């Protein structure tokens, strides 16, 4: 190894690959002194679990020109100069446009993405062979000001019960920040809008049970000190950091799968690129076999229809989406009142 370049041997389905890591000593996380080579080695160390969670899916790359304290950008099209073992798949965006996105079929592809200055991996909820139909129902529990991880814990437990009543098995991971991500494997037979409606139905049921702790209010001024159930993360082309993906935060935390029995005592700041490899070696992957028992969203969609009949309609979409059928006005409530 020289100061300018390192090489890693990465095993895969086609045998070993020698991958170059340029500027291996470039510091990615200044607060921890962790480098680009540290990141590449982390990806190799967690490779099997990382690939099980994120492989075979369209993925968006969150890339940095220098450290996580500096300029960043998102790559949806595969970066130029990709080696021949890198695959892409065409996906359709909400605008109706279609573009290729990277697909990680082996861990060498993720290491190559690190070489291209990727820090965070954002996989789609659908697979490359069926990109229009998610096989994961994903719910982001987002603490609002005045709340934190501790307040998200009882909400996650109740959400697990809600999903179980709907016939779905829930899996959980830290977001790598203050929140929690709850996933449920589903049959890939419904398109994104249906799955979004299923998420809204679950979120509304959760809000009914915990009105003082949970909100589905899209506008921040209406949320209060509660946990926001971010239903819009279920939309097409909306992603969250993948399981075992590092986060671009000072502590080099990881979005880490945990077991439900760990939730009460979990410290999200303890899961970093330094600690997670040993955790995996010692205790295995809590998400191993996650897709062995996919469920259906039919009951959640029945709840959605029930709520429609009760007068609860569509919720706002992200501002960059085209206007959607039944969507309420995209006007901040306080501004709407001031104009009235």
């Amino acid at each position: 190894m020289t100061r300018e370049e390192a090489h890693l041997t990465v095993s895969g389905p086609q045998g070993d690959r020698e991958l170059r890591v340029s500027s291996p000593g470039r510091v990615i996380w200044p607060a921890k002194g962790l480098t680009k080579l540290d990141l590449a080695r982390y990806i190799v160390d967690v490779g099997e679990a990382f690939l099980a969670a994120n492989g075979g899916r369209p993925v968006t790359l969150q890339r940095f020109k220098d450290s996580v304290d500096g300029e960043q950008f998102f790559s949806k099209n595969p970066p130029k100069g990709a080696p021949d073992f890198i695959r892409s798949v065409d996906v359709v965006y909400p605008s109706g446009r279609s573009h290729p996105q990277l697909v990680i079929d082996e861990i060498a592809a993720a290491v190559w993405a690190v070489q291209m200055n990727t820090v965070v991996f954002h996989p789609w909820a659908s697979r490359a062979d069926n990109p229009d139909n998610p096989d994961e129902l994903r719910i982001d529990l987002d603490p609002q000001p005045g709340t934190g991880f501790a307040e998200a814990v009882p909400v996650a437990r109740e959400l697990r019960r809600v999903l179980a009543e709907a016939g779905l098995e829930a899996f959980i991971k830290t977001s790598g920040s203050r929140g929690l991500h709850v996933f449920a494997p589903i049959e890939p037979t419904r398109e994104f809008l249906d799955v979004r409606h299923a998420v809204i139905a679950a979120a509304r049921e959760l809000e009914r049970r915990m009105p003082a702790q949970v909100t589905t209010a899209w506008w921040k001024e209406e949320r209060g000190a509660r946990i926001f159930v971010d239903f819009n993360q279920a939309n097409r082309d909306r992603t969250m950091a993948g399981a075992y993906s590092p986060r671009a935060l000072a502590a080099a935390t990881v979005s880490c799968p945990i077991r439900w029995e760990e939730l009460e005592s979990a410290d999200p700041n303890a899961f970093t690129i330094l600690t997670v490899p040993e955790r995996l070696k010692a205790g295995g992957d809590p998400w191993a076999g996650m897709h062995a028992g996919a469920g259906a969203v039919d009951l959640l969609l029945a709840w959605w229809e029930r709520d429609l009949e009760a007068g609860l309609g569509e919720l706002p979409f992200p501002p960059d989406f085209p206007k959607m059928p039944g969507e309420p006005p995209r006007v901040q409530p306080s501004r709407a009142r001031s104009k009235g």
Side-chain angles (χ1 to χ4, degrees):
M1 184 181 81
T2 69
R3 291 178 61 189
E4 295 79 26
E5 188 173 286
H7 289 85
L8 292 179
T9 301
V10 183
S11 299
Q14 307 302 320
D16 289 348
R17 299 192 191 277
E18 286 289 322
L19 295 180
R20 179 178 68 92
V21 180
S22 62
S23 304
R26 179 164 64 86
V27 176
I28 304 296
W29 287 278
K32 295 294 184 180
L34 295 168
T35 66
K36 185 176 180 180
L37 184 58
D38 292 325
L39 174 56
R41 285 173 171 163
Y42 165 79
I43 292 294
V44 173
D45 288 344
V46 301
E48 183 178 347
F50 180 96
L51 195 62
N54 307 302
R57 301 177 182 277
V59 65
T60 297
L61 307 178
Q62 188 176 352
R63 300 164 65 193
F64 291 77
K65 290 189 174 181
D66 191 21
S67 76
V68 296
D69 296 333
E71 186 178 348
Q72 63 176 296
F73 58 101
F74 290 86
S75 286
K76 294 187 176 183
N77 295 348
K80 293 180 180 179
D84 58 9
F85 65 86
I86 300 293
R87 180 166 68 104
S88 64
V89 63
D90 284 344
V91 296
V92 178
Y93 299 119
S95 65
R97 294 181 298 109
S98 177
H99 283 291
Q101 286 207 202
L102 176 74
V103 180
I104 296 174
D105 290 321
E106 55 181 286
I107 201 59
V111 175
W112 172 79
V114 169
Q115 160 61 17
M116 301 302 291
N117 301 321
T118 300
V119 174
V120 190
F121 295 81
H122 298 265
W124 277 41
S126 57
R127 295 188 182 270
D129 60 358
N130 187 6
D132 294 324
N133 296 323
D135 72 339
E136 290 176 345
L137 181 143
R138 300 173 171 182
I139 300 180
D140 180 12
L141 299 179
D142 184 10
Q144 299 302 291
T147 67
F149 186 84
E151 286 73 26
V153 167
V155 174
R157 288 200 309 265
E158 187 60 35
L159 176 57
R160 184 191 188 189
R161 286 189 280 269
V162 168
L163 293 177
E165 290 171 22
L168 298 176
E169 181 180 5
F171 294 76
I172 193 166
K173 65 184 179 75
T174 63
S175 69
S177 183
R178 301 165 61 243
L180 285 162
H181 296 161
V182 177
F183 282 34
I186 59 175
E187 299 167 354
T189 57
R190 302 278 190 168
E191 54 92 25
F192 277 91
L193 186 59
D194 284 338
V195 176
R196 177 183 187 270
H197 289 161
V199 167
I200 291 174
R204 282 172 166 161
E205 180 61 27
L206 182 63
E207 186 178 32
R208 277 189 286 267
R209 297 183 185 192
M210 306 181 76
Q213 294 89 15
V214 173
T215 180
T216 59
W218 175 247
W219 300 103
K220 290 183 179 180
E221 65 183 30
E222 296 185 326
R223 293 177 187 172
R226 292 178 287 181
I227 303 299
F228 171 53
V229 186
D230 191 353
F231 51 87
N232 269 331
Q233 292 287 35
N235 280 319
R236 179 185 295 272
D237 192 34
R238 283 298 182 273
T239 58
M240 54 187 75
Y244 298 106
S245 172
R247 299 303 310 270
L249 299 170
T253 49
V254 168
S255 183
C256 188
I258 60 176
R259 295 175 175 84
W260 282 102
E261 55 268 27
E262 297 179 278
L263 178 59
E264 202 71 41
S265 60
D267 176 4
N269 295 316
F271 304 124
T272 73
I273 70 167
L274 294 176
T275 63
V276 168
E278 185 55 39
R279 168 183 163 84
L280 265 175
K281 290 177 185 176
D285 179 12
W287 282 17
M290 172 179 172
H291 283 275
V297 297
D298 295 8
L299 186 52
L300 286 177
L301 289 177
W303 294 0
W304 163 260
E305 293 294 336
R306 174 201 65 193
D307 288 343
L308 285 180
E309 293 176 3
L312 297 174
E314 185 60 91
L315 292 176
F317 284 77
D320 59 328
F321 269 52
K323 184 67 176 178
M324 301 295 288
E327 183 184 3
R330 295 182 186 178
V331 181
Q332 191 171 334
S334 59
R335 290 184 180 179
R337 288 193 295 269
S338 66
K339 292 179 181 179

